[in-house]
Amino acid sequence: MNNKQKILLILDLDETLIHATETKLEIDPDFKYAEYFVYKRPNLEEFLNEMTNHFALAIWSSADDKYVSEIVDIIRPNGITFQFIWARSRCTLRRDYELDRYVREKRLKKIKKQGFPLEKALIVDDSPEKTRDNFGNAIYVNPFEGNPEDKELIILSNFLKSIKNSENVRTIEKRGWRNKIDL
Ligand SMILES: [Mg+2]
């Protein structure tokens, strides 16, 4: 099976895969990046190594381009390839009147232009407002803020494996996804 046929799994970075903070937490960080103490979400390597067997992987963060590319270089397990690593410059700035602020949105029509069908694309994010246009493709995770007991990636991995062969991810009810799997 080649990557074109696999579902594309687009992963957010901050508070989804890592937590970067200028204020050190009680536990030691996994690494330092510029002025940030960076904590990897528990089970991150296992998650990426498992997901690459079932999905084509990509990263899309609304953070600064240089930060994203350098952080991904550090956390990427050996042998993992990302279809793309996108950052702020690929986001669309939109005024969100409900939140009364500007939001950097990830608009999936940009990946459609790259030849990835939206029926076969999932985006995982802790910030629903950033994928508002794409809720049919989105899976929202709890934000990771450094809790060493966090189990989100294990639960997410189980859910994703249960839908990996879907022909159209947009028809899958993804709200309440945590309750759809046996732990
Ligand atoms: Mg995030």
Side-chain angles (χ1 to χ4, degrees), residues 149-174:
E149 306 296 320
D150 181 280
K151 300 273 188 295
E152 194 80 338
L153 292 181
I154 295 174
I155 306 169
L156 179 64
S157 162
N158 288 335
F159 175 66
L160 288 171
K161 281 186 277 181
S162 76
I163 61 170
K164 66 180 181 177
N165 294 320
S166 170
E167 288 303 319
N168 184 357
V169 299
R170 299 176 125 189
T171 62
I172 299 170
E173 177 59 64
K174 292 176 282 301

Side-chain angles (χ1 to χ4, degrees), residues 4-5 20 26 35-36 48 56 58-59 62 79 92 94 96 98 110 118 126 128-129 131 135 138 169 176 179:
K4 276 279 175 215
Q5 293 165 308
E26 279 179 19
E35 68 272 36
Y36 296 104
L48 293 173
I59 300 280
S62 60
T92 305
R94 193 188 74 164
D96 187 311
E98 263 173 56
K110 291 197 178 180
L118 294 188
D126 66 293
E129 73 276 12
T131 58
F135 64 89
V169 299
N179 305 324

Side-chain angles (χ1 to χ4, degrees), residues 10 14 24 65 67-68 92 102 118 130 138 155 158 173:
I10 306 164
D14 285 303
K24 188 176 170 292
D65 287 48
Y67 166 91
V68 172
T92 305
Y102 285 94
L118 294 188
K130 291 181 183 168
I155 306 169
N158 288 335
E173 177 59 64

Side-chain angles (χ1 to χ4, degrees), residues 96-134:
D96 187 311
Y97 292 97
E98 263 173 56
L99 297 175
D100 196 27
R101 61 179 168 88
Y102 285 94
V103 169
R104 293 182 198 280
E105 286 191 343
K106 303 167 186 179
R107 295 196 175 166
L108 286 186
K109 58 184 174 211
K110 291 197 178 180
I111 68 134
K112 197 174 167 192
K113 277 189 200 154
Q114 306 277 327
F116 297 103
L118 294 188
E119 299 75 34
K120 298 273 240 175
L122 287 167
I123 186 161
V124 176
D125 209 305
D126 66 293
S127 306
E129 73 276 12
K130 291 181 183 168
T131 58
R132 185 158 291 175
D133 278 4
N134 319 112

Side-chain angles (χ1 to χ4, degrees), residues 1-162:
M1 192 194 271
N2 67 36
N3 278 343
K4 276 279 175 215
Q5 293 165 308
K6 288 183 184 172
I7 293 173
L8 178 68
L9 183 64
I10 306 164
L11 302 165
D12 172 48
L13 196 55
D14 285 303
E15 281 67 59
T16 295
L17 300 184
I18 62 155
H19 176 60
T21 170
E22 290 180 85
T23 313
K24 188 176 170 292
L25 307 178
E26 279 179 19
I27 48 171
D28 286 333
D30 288 293
F31 59 93
K32 273 209 82 182
Y33 175 83
E35 68 272 36
Y36 296 104
F37 299 92
V38 186
Y39 297 83
K40 295 192 232 177
R41 194 164 211 163
N43 311 295
L44 176 59
E45 278 91 347
E46 297 89 328
F47 174 76
L48 293 173
N49 282 326
E50 174 89 41
M51 290 303 101
T52 199
N53 294 325
H54 308 292
F55 297 91
L57 301 179
I59 300 280
W60 196 353
S61 164
S62 60
D64 170 72
D65 287 48
K66 181 168 181 278
Y67 166 91
V68 172
S69 106
E70 293 182 357
I71 293 280
V72 171
D73 270 351
I74 297 170
I75 65 166
R76 179 204 317 246
N78 282 338
I80 297 272
T81 312
F82 292 111
Q83 303 295 307
F84 56 80
I85 298 164
W86 282 2
R88 178 166 298 173
S89 60
R90 299 281 187 162
C91 294
T92 305
L93 198 60
R94 193 188 74 164
R95 181 84 195 163
D96 187 311
Y97 292 97
E98 263 173 56
L99 297 175
D100 196 27
R101 61 179 168 88
Y102 285 94
V103 169
R104 293 182 198 280
E105 286 191 343
K106 303 167 186 179
R107 295 196 175 166
L108 286 186
K109 58 184 174 211
K110 291 197 178 180
I111 68 134
K112 197 174 167 192
K113 277 189 200 154
Q114 306 277 327
F116 297 103
L118 294 188
E119 299 75 34
K120 298 273 240 175
L122 287 167
I123 186 161
V124 176
D125 209 305
D126 66 293
S127 306
E129 73 276 12
K130 291 181 183 168
T131 58
R132 185 158 291 175
D133 278 4
N134 319 112
F135 64 89
N137 298 85
I139 298 171
Y140 302 123
V141 291
N142 289 328
F144 170 62
E145 285 163 353
N147 174 10
E149 306 296 320
D150 181 280
K151 300 273 188 295
E152 194 80 338
L153 292 181
I154 295 174
I155 306 169
L156 179 64
S157 162
N158 288 335
F159 175 66
L160 288 171
K161 281 186 277 181
S162 76

